[in-house]
Amino acid sequence: MGYNSPAMSAFKIGINRWTMPGNWEVQTCLRVAKESGFDSIEFNMEMQGALSPQTSDAEASQIRQMADSVGIELSSLSTGVYWSVPFTHPDPKVREQAIDLCRHQLRLAQAMGVDAILVVPGVVTAEVPYDVAYERAKQALQTLAPEAERRKVAIAIENVWNKFLLSPLEMRQLIDEIGSDYVGCYFDAGNILDYGFPQHWITILGPRIKRVHVKDFRTEIGNIQGFTNPLQGDVPWMAVRSALESVGYTGYITAEVSGYRVFPELGLRHIADALRAVFKS
């Protein structure tokens, strides 16, 4: 049985499809997300599969139709492709491929009826200095902004462990330099905890925040093994909620976590319960 209690706040709680078992079909993901108590689900563009650059507009639109029939919203379209094909790559052909992938992501999002996509803006490496990464990322986003505006789908750049945009001031500066209402931030509260405080980032970025990801993080572990499900780590959850309310954010709070290795449906219900306790109580 689904959770049907009316929302008590402006926030909508969601789940990323990656939290679910990889062998679940789209229809199963939609149904279980609804039954678990989520308002929305976020799908991901992969290089191959149900949502990929090869997916047609009609096929992507079918996912929207299935979601409508189940009674669950689609919050945004995420992806992990920019880790292997970044806007900041030394090879200009790879950079052009990244831009092409983003165009497909924007196209699929529009066909699915969602108005934001998650984009990793680049990666600083030994071969790609920080300042070079910044200029390449800015150039790519400036190139893509008109496409985002035309499709009315926002490019939301995420703060991730990419050794890049390590300050909310830099994130704000980059977004403002693009100067488009359709380029903003996809803020991840858990990713910040290793090098900052989520409530500070939220108040500094303010209306530039297009979407919010949440996961928890155990700072005593301090590496990728420290990520965990909501309410099991050190994210200052009520400070995050207060900061989001203070900047007028209303919308999706999407968990992007590992979930449970066994009894995945139970894990999804627990994640929904945790998000509901923080954001809807």
mmCIF file of all heavy atoms in Angstrom, residues 14 18 50 55 72 101 106 108 120 161 168 184 194 215 246 252 259 269:
data_model
loop_
_atom_site.group_PDB
_atom_site.id
_atom_site.type_symbol
_atom_site.label_atom_id
_atom_site.label_comp_id
_atom_site.label_asym_id
_atom_site.label_seq_id
_atom_site.Cartn_x
_atom_site.Cartn_y
_atom_site.Cartn_z
ATOM 1 N N GLY A 14 11.931 12.684 -3.255
ATOM 2 C CA GLY A 14 12.123 11.829 -4.418
ATOM 3 C C GLY A 14 13.252 10.841 -4.226
ATOM 4 O O GLY A 14 14.012 10.902 -3.265
ATOM 5 N N TRP A 18 19.072 5.022 -9.421
ATOM 6 C CA TRP A 18 20.254 4.237 -9.064
ATOM 7 C C TRP A 18 20.122 3.559 -7.705
ATOM 8 O O TRP A 18 20.816 2.590 -7.426
ATOM 9 C CB TRP A 18 21.497 5.128 -9.055
ATOM 10 C CG TRP A 18 22.047 5.421 -10.406
ATOM 11 C CD1 TRP A 18 22.072 4.591 -11.495
ATOM 12 C CD2 TRP A 18 22.695 6.624 -10.828
ATOM 13 N NE1 TRP A 18 22.674 5.200 -12.567
ATOM 14 C CE2 TRP A 18 23.071 6.459 -12.184
ATOM 15 C CE3 TRP A 18 22.986 7.830 -10.188
ATOM 16 C CZ2 TRP A 18 23.718 7.452 -12.902
ATOM 17 C CZ3 TRP A 18 23.634 8.818 -10.908
ATOM 18 C CH2 TRP A 18 23.998 8.636 -12.249
ATOM 19 N N ALA A 50 17.520 2.052 -21.373
ATOM 20 C CA ALA A 50 16.197 2.632 -21.562
ATOM 21 C C ALA A 50 16.258 4.126 -21.813
ATOM 22 O O ALA A 50 15.408 4.673 -22.521
ATOM 23 C CB ALA A 50 15.321 2.337 -20.341
ATOM 24 N N THR A 55 17.963 6.842 -27.381
ATOM 25 C CA THR A 55 16.532 6.819 -27.074
ATOM 26 C C THR A 55 15.807 7.910 -27.849
ATOM 27 O O THR A 55 16.254 9.062 -27.872
ATOM 28 C CB THR A 55 16.303 7.015 -25.567
ATOM 29 O OG1 THR A 55 17.006 5.994 -24.847
ATOM 30 C CG2 THR A 55 14.825 6.948 -25.218
ATOM 31 N N ILE A 72 3.012 9.267 -10.141
ATOM 32 C CA ILE A 72 4.251 9.762 -9.539
ATOM 33 C C ILE A 72 4.896 10.769 -10.494
ATOM 34 O O ILE A 72 4.778 10.634 -11.720
ATOM 35 C CB ILE A 72 5.222 8.610 -9.202
ATOM 36 C CG1 ILE A 72 6.364 9.106 -8.314
ATOM 37 C CG2 ILE A 72 5.735 7.919 -10.468
ATOM 38 C CD1 ILE A 72 7.144 7.994 -7.648
ATOM 39 N N LEU A 101 26.499 15.020 -25.786
ATOM 40 C CA LEU A 101 25.764 14.226 -24.805
ATOM 41 C C LEU A 101 24.781 15.102 -24.027
ATOM 42 O O LEU A 101 23.649 14.691 -23.748
ATOM 43 C CB LEU A 101 26.731 13.541 -23.837
ATOM 44 C CG LEU A 101 27.501 12.343 -24.380
ATOM 45 C CD1 LEU A 101 28.610 11.933 -23.418
ATOM 46 C CD2 LEU A 101 26.558 11.163 -24.626
ATOM 47 N N LEU A 106 19.308 17.121 -22.664
ATOM 48 C CA LEU A 106 18.282 18.165 -22.706
ATOM 49 C C LEU A 106 17.078 17.717 -23.536
ATOM 50 O O LEU A 106 15.918 17.945 -23.163
ATOM 51 C CB LEU A 106 18.872 19.452 -23.289
ATOM 52 C CG LEU A 106 19.870 20.204 -22.407
ATOM 53 C CD1 LEU A 106 20.618 21.251 -23.238
ATOM 54 C CD2 LEU A 106 19.175 20.870 -21.227
ATOM 55 N N LEU A 108 16.048 14.615 -24.162
ATOM 56 C CA LEU A 108 15.306 13.567 -23.469
ATOM 57 C C LEU A 108 14.500 14.144 -22.315
ATOM 58 O O LEU A 108 13.360 13.736 -22.076
ATOM 59 C CB LEU A 108 16.269 12.491 -22.958
ATOM 60 C CG LEU A 108 16.958 11.652 -24.038
ATOM 61 C CD1 LEU A 108 18.056 10.791 -23.423
ATOM 62 C CD2 LEU A 108 15.943 10.784 -24.774
ATOM 63 N N VAL A 120 27.601 17.097 -14.323
ATOM 64 C CA VAL A 120 28.904 17.273 -13.675
ATOM 65 C C VAL A 120 29.706 18.233 -14.547
ATOM 66 O O VAL A 120 29.962 17.937 -15.713
ATOM 67 C CB VAL A 120 29.626 15.926 -13.514
ATOM 68 C CG1 VAL A 120 31.035 16.129 -12.964
ATOM 69 C CG2 VAL A 120 28.833 14.996 -12.592
ATOM 70 N N TRP A 161 32.727 15.245 -6.027
ATOM 71 C CA TRP A 161 34.132 15.079 -5.644
ATOM 72 C C TRP A 161 35.009 15.056 -6.897
ATOM 73 O O TRP A 161 35.603 14.041 -7.254
ATOM 74 C CB TRP A 161 34.286 13.801 -4.843
ATOM 75 C CG TRP A 161 33.755 13.912 -3.439
ATOM 76 C CD1 TRP A 161 32.947 14.883 -2.928
ATOM 77 C CD2 TRP A 161 34.006 12.997 -2.370
ATOM 78 N NE1 TRP A 161 32.681 14.643 -1.610
ATOM 79 C CE2 TRP A 161 33.309 13.503 -1.237
ATOM 80 C CE3 TRP A 161 34.734 11.826 -2.254
ATOM 81 C CZ2 TRP A 161 33.340 12.858 -0.003
ATOM 82 C CZ3 TRP A 161 34.760 11.176 -1.030
ATOM 83 C CH2 TRP A 161 34.074 11.688 0.080
ATOM 84 N N PRO A 168 31.450 27.724 -2.513
ATOM 85 C CA PRO A 168 30.173 28.244 -3.020
ATOM 86 C C PRO A 168 30.339 29.567 -3.756
ATOM 87 O O PRO A 168 29.515 29.910 -4.609
ATOM 88 C CB PRO A 168 29.333 28.417 -1.752
ATOM 89 C CG PRO A 168 30.327 28.559 -0.646
ATOM 90 C CD PRO A 168 31.482 27.681 -1.045
ATOM 91 N N GLY A 184 22.054 26.651 -13.552
ATOM 92 C CA GLY A 184 22.088 26.828 -12.114
ATOM 93 C C GLY A 184 22.835 25.694 -11.446
ATOM 94 O O GLY A 184 23.684 25.048 -12.058
ATOM 95 N N ASP A 194 32.507 16.842 3.266
ATOM 96 C CA ASP A 194 33.939 16.597 3.409
ATOM 97 C C ASP A 194 34.754 17.884 3.368
ATOM 98 O O ASP A 194 35.881 17.919 3.852
ATOM 99 C CB ASP A 194 34.421 15.645 2.300
ATOM 100 C CG ASP A 194 35.834 15.143 2.557
ATOM 101 O OD1 ASP A 194 36.130 14.753 3.698
ATOM 102 O OD2 ASP A 194 36.640 15.141 1.610
ATOM 103 N N LYS A 215 22.121 12.793 0.563
ATOM 104 C CA LYS A 215 22.640 11.525 1.063
ATOM 105 C C LYS A 215 23.294 11.869 2.381
ATOM 106 O O LYS A 215 23.489 13.043 2.690
ATOM 107 C CB LYS A 215 23.645 10.915 0.078
ATOM 108 C CG LYS A 215 24.835 11.834 -0.227
ATOM 109 C CD LYS A 215 25.848 11.151 -1.113
ATOM 110 C CE LYS A 215 25.375 10.934 -2.529
ATOM 111 N NZ LYS A 215 25.385 12.196 -3.333
ATOM 112 N N SER A 246 14.863 29.330 3.945
ATOM 113 C CA SER A 246 15.244 30.743 4.017
ATOM 114 C C SER A 246 15.495 31.353 2.643
ATOM 115 O O SER A 246 15.335 32.563 2.472
ATOM 116 C CB SER A 246 16.496 30.910 4.886
ATOM 117 O OG SER A 246 17.673 30.491 4.210
ATOM 118 N N TYR A 252 11.913 19.592 -5.309
ATOM 119 C CA TYR A 252 12.297 18.203 -5.092
ATOM 120 C C TYR A 252 13.533 18.070 -4.210
ATOM 121 O O TYR A 252 14.530 18.759 -4.411
ATOM 122 C CB TYR A 252 12.553 17.520 -6.433
ATOM 123 C CG TYR A 252 11.352 17.523 -7.339
ATOM 124 C CD1 TYR A 252 11.260 18.422 -8.401
ATOM 125 C CD2 TYR A 252 10.296 16.636 -7.135
ATOM 126 C CE1 TYR A 252 10.147 18.430 -9.240
ATOM 127 C CE2 TYR A 252 9.182 16.642 -7.966
ATOM 128 C CZ TYR A 252 9.114 17.538 -9.015
ATOM 129 O OH TYR A 252 8.018 17.547 -9.834
ATOM 130 N N GLY A 259 20.975 2.550 -0.905
ATOM 131 C CA GLY A 259 19.840 1.730 -0.516
ATOM 132 C C GLY A 259 20.284 0.472 0.206
ATOM 133 O O GLY A 259 21.401 0.388 0.718
ATOM 134 N N ARG A 269 11.405 2.284 1.575
ATOM 135 C CA ARG A 269 10.427 2.820 2.527
ATOM 136 C C ARG A 269 11.120 3.553 3.667
ATOM 137 O O ARG A 269 10.649 4.605 4.124
ATOM 138 C CB ARG A 269 9.536 1.693 3.059
ATOM 139 C CG ARG A 269 8.622 1.091 2.002
ATOM 140 C CD ARG A 269 7.483 0.307 2.624
ATOM 141 N NE ARG A 269 7.935 -0.846 3.386
ATOM 142 C CZ ARG A 269 8.158 -2.064 2.873
ATOM 143 N NH1 ARG A 269 7.995 -2.261 1.562
ATOM 144 N NH2 ARG A 269 8.544 -3.055 3.631
#
